[in-house]
Amino acid sequence: MAAVLPRFARGACALGVLALILLTGCAGRADQAALPDLTRLAPEPKRMERLIIESAKHNQELLGVIQHDHESLRMALLSPQGQRLLTLVMDSDGARFLSDALFEPPFSAHWLASRLAWTLWPVAELENQFQHSAWSVRRDDSGHSVYHRGQRVASIKLSDQCKLIDDIQTGHRLYIIPIELAGQNKELLCPAV
């Protein structure tokens, strides 16, 4: 047990530092994007995915377990060894992190939920949710981009093998790849930015 704890402590510390670097400045945003209605999202059983987070200075790989139905969306973030680090829940009460997180994230649950929503909901539903707000969405060849007051916030590229969120605000990219394709090179799976 003593040998496992230091390795996990290093991993949790590294994740905390990565999250701080990745999402600095996103948590304080007063004008948040509306979250789409869960009843308009087709239910899916629990699935595991490989998450790759890249920036100019850091790269991190995690596992994500996501499940949603018409009442809630849940995503657990796991270390590569399978240790649960943080769980996001979105339901009729909004978005929140469960209290048993192993670190205090420097970003809001709403911020993370909105980025997931931008990859999961159909563009027509996002357009509907953004009506009469400072937010908008525009389709492009391989996905769509989300704008706030005319400024592009994120570009979302979608394929059967990869979802890519290019977060322009923070300068980071998040690749979401089905776990069955985890061993393959992401450049071959994911759309070009």
Side-chain angles (χ1 to χ4, degrees):
M1 177 82 170
V4 173
L5 186 58
R7 185 174 3 143
F8 169 73
R10 286 191 305 269
C13 181
L15 180 63
V17 170
L18 171 72
L20 180 61
I21 292 166
L22 173 64
L23 302 167
T24 298
C26 295
R29 185 177 201 98
D31 188 11
Q32 297 178 334
L35 294 175
D37 183 354
L38 282 162
T39 62
R40 313 236 354 167
L41 180 64
E44 286 194 22
K46 188 182 297 184
R47 68 183 185 275
M48 185 175 283
E49 297 176 313
R50 175 184 175 207
L51 308 176
I52 303 168
I53 304 165
E54 291 184 347
S55 74
K57 296 181 182 179
H58 301 280
N59 293 330
Q60 179 74 40
E61 288 201 33
L62 299 171
L63 299 174
V65 178
I66 190 166
Q67 180 177 13
H68 53 83
D69 56 30
H70 290 309
E71 295 180 11
S72 70
L73 179 144
R74 290 179 172 261
M75 181 178 199
L77 294 177
L78 312 173
S79 71
Q81 296 79 28
Q83 176 72 37
R84 184 164 54 98
L85 305 170
L86 181 71
T87 303
L88 170 74
V89 175
M90 187 176 104
D91 57 21
S92 60
D93 295 327
R96 65 195 172 283
F97 294 120
L98 295 184
S99 60
D100 61 352
L102 293 181
F103 73 101
E104 182 69 29
F107 52 90
S108 72
H110 190 283
W111 186 92
L112 182 57
S114 67
R115 272 47 180 186
L116 280 175
W118 297 346
T119 68
L120 294 172
W121 270 264
V123 173
E125 181 61 22
L126 296 176
E127 289 170 337
N128 182 49
Q129 290 297 317
F130 291 159
Q131 283 184 3
H132 312 296
S133 79
W135 294 85
S136 62
V137 61
R138 295 182 197 151
R139 300 171 199 248
D140 58 41
D141 291 339
S142 61
H144 52 278
S145 292
V146 176
Y147 294 79
H148 180 255
R149 299 192 190 285
Q151 296 268 2
R152 191 164 62 151
V153 172
S155 175
I156 292 83
K157 305 292 184 188
L158 304 171
S159 76
D160 291 339
Q161 299 144 335
C162 180
K163 295 175 183 166
L164 168 59
I165 304 168
D166 185 11
D167 194 308
I168 295 151
Q169 281 184 327
T170 65
H172 290 78
R173 290 187 182 132
L174 171 61
Y175 298 85
I176 304 172
I177 299 169
I179 198 66
E180 59 271 15
L181 301 174
Q184 296 185 33
N185 186 326
K186 72 173 174 47
E187 281 75 21
L188 299 176
L189 300 173
C190 299
V193 179

